[in-house]
Amino acid sequence: MDLQKPPTGHPEQQPARQSPEGCLVVAIRLPVRIVVLVLVVPVRMVWDALVVTGRFLNDTVLRPVGRALLWVARAVFVWPVVGLWRYVLVPLGRALGWLGNVFLVVPLKWFHGYVLTPLGQALVWVYARVLTPVGHGVMWVLRGVGAVLALLGTSVFAGLAWLVRYLVVVPAVWVYARVLAPVGRAVAWLVGVVATGVGIGLYWVGRVLFVLPALALWRWVLVPVGRTLAVVGREVGQAIGHAWRVAGRISLAVGRALATLFRWIFVEPVRWAYRTVLAPVGHVVRDAVLRPVAEAARSVGRATRLALASAREAARQARADFRRLLLGEPERTRAVDRREPTARETRTLGSRTTALTKD
């Protein structure tokens, strides 16, 4: 089976044929590409140098400085705010919430249950038993007065409408149909004839003075010049793209050569110094200084956590004492004796009865 055969119902598409290029295109292409290449190569090399410099600065300077600034900002601003929130504001808020519940919410509930609710029920009773019947009576009276006024208004409006119809509307319709309409038709016909003649004259004057010269200018001047400029612009664009790609390869080769030179002049000596000098010194400093300091810091942290736990326990005990001082001791539930009955009600080994089968 031929895999290259197109599916049934879809004719094989022929590749697009390129139009033949004229002598003007061939004459323009080579000098334009040479000039553009000479102009673009320095720009591309400067651009690649700026990109490499930016990446190096980002990796070696900006990112470490940003991390250090972030750590400093966290130590100076975030951690104090978190400690203030966790160990000061949260306990203070809980204490204020409890005081607000005791001294504000509970009295408001009592006032709502024993004052506002009975007062609202009394107002509802007055509205249902007194105001509603009075309102219904007033609305009945107003409805009757409105019906009388509506009847009078309807009669007066009907009389005025009859007078306006036979004194104004009927004469105006007769004047429009017999006088104004024929005069308007005659004037409209005359204006149409004049406008048609003037429009035809202006059309031919504009065509001769403006349209035909503009058409000749477009066809014999602007179109050839536009086609030439389009060819030049297309060749310049293609030349810029080609020169940018060639300049990129040149810049890449130059950059690789400079990177190799930099590595052998600077990087390799620094790497050798780091491996043979700085790394052993760093290990000694880590084992002799940093680890004891870290252990001491951990000990201080444990002591601080123990002190904070003791302070929280003391604050909790103080809140419990203050609650007992205000509300008294809570009621203790009486313990229920769940043992078996004693004395004569219990079952013994020498008897055949139990506490349930006695008597």
Side-chain angles (χ1 to χ4, degrees):
M1 182 178 181
D2 189 4
L3 297 178
Q4 301 297 329
K5 186 178 181 180
T8 305
H10 296 79
E12 184 177 0
Q13 298 179 355
Q14 298 293 335
R17 295 181 179 178
Q18 297 181 354
S19 59
E21 298 178 347
C23 59
L24 180 62
V25 176
V26 177
I28 290 175
R29 178 174 300 169
L30 185 60
V32 166
R33 289 195 175 185
I34 293 173
V35 173
V36 171
L37 180 62
V38 172
L39 296 176
V40 168
V41 167
V43 177
R44 180 59 186 265
M45 294 185 68
V46 172
W47 173 259
D48 292 339
L50 291 176
V51 170
V52 172
T53 305
R55 290 177 180 175
F56 176 76
L57 291 177
N58 182 52
D59 295 335
T60 58
V61 178
L62 297 179
R63 189 175 298 172
V65 171
R67 290 177 180 174
L69 292 177
L70 180 63
W71 186 88
V72 171
R74 188 180 301 168
V76 173
F77 298 103
V78 177
W79 292 344
V81 172
V82 171
L84 178 65
W85 171 263
R86 182 176 298 173
Y87 299 109
V88 177
L89 295 180
V90 172
L92 182 60
R94 290 177 180 173
L96 291 176
W98 182 80
L99 291 175
N101 184 36
V102 171
F103 292 105
L104 186 62
V105 176
V106 174
L108 287 177
K109 286 184 179 179
W110 181 86
F111 182 74
H112 178 269
Y114 294 98
V115 177
L116 295 180
T117 300
L119 181 61
Q121 293 176 354
L123 292 176
V124 171
W125 183 86
V126 170
Y127 174 79
R129 301 296 181 181
V130 178
L131 297 179
T132 301
V134 173
H136 289 169
V138 171
M139 289 300 298
W140 183 81
V141 173
L142 293 176
R143 192 178 294 115
V145 173
V148 173
L149 293 177
L151 180 62
L152 292 176
T154 303
S155 301
V156 172
F157 179 77
L160 293 176
W162 185 84
L163 292 176
V164 170
R165 175 181 177 84
Y166 286 98
L167 294 179
V168 178
V169 176
V170 172
V173 170
W174 183 86
V175 170
Y176 174 79
R178 301 295 181 179
V179 179
L180 297 179
V183 173
R185 292 191 185 97
V187 172
W189 179 81
L190 182 60
V191 170
V193 170
V194 173
T196 302
V198 172
I200 293 173
L202 293 176
Y203 168 76
W204 281 105
V205 169
R207 181 179 179 84
V208 172
L209 294 180
F210 299 103
V211 176
L212 295 179
L215 184 62
L217 178 65
W218 170 262
R219 181 175 297 176
W220 303 109
V221 178
L222 296 180
V223 170
V225 173
R227 289 176 180 175
T228 304
L229 293 178
V231 171
V232 173
R234 184 186 63 190
E235 291 301 324
V236 169
Q238 293 179 357
I240 291 174
H242 180 72
W244 186 262
R245 290 190 294 270
V246 173
R249 295 182 179 275
I250 296 173
S251 177
L252 180 62
V254 173
R256 287 178 178 176
L258 292 177
T260 304
L261 185 62
F262 178 77
R263 184 182 64 185
W264 287 107
I265 293 176
F266 182 75
V267 175
E268 292 298 333
V270 171
R271 183 181 298 175
W272 177 84
Y274 174 78
R275 289 180 179 178
T276 58
V277 179
L278 296 179
V281 173
H283 293 166
V284 172
V285 171
R286 181 191 60 189
D287 297 334
V289 178
L290 297 181
R291 285 183 179 175
V293 171
E295 186 63 29
R298 284 194 290 271
S299 301
V300 171
R302 286 194 294 269
T304 304
R305 286 194 294 272
L306 292 176
L308 292 176
S310 301
R312 285 196 296 270
E313 183 63 28
R316 187 162 46 249
Q317 188 65 30
R319 289 197 302 269
D321 294 339
F322 183 71
R323 191 184 299 112
R324 284 196 298 269
L325 179 63
L326 291 178
L327 303 178
E329 292 288 342
E331 296 183 359
R332 297 181 179 179
T333 57
R334 182 176 298 175
V336 180
D337 190 3
R338 299 183 180 274
R339 296 178 298 173
E340 293 185 359
T342 57
R344 307 175 81 183
E345 296 182 356
T346 59
R347 179 177 180 181
T348 59
L349 296 176
S351 63
R352 296 182 179 179
T353 59
T354 62
L356 299 176
T357 58
K358 279 187 177 182
D359 301 331

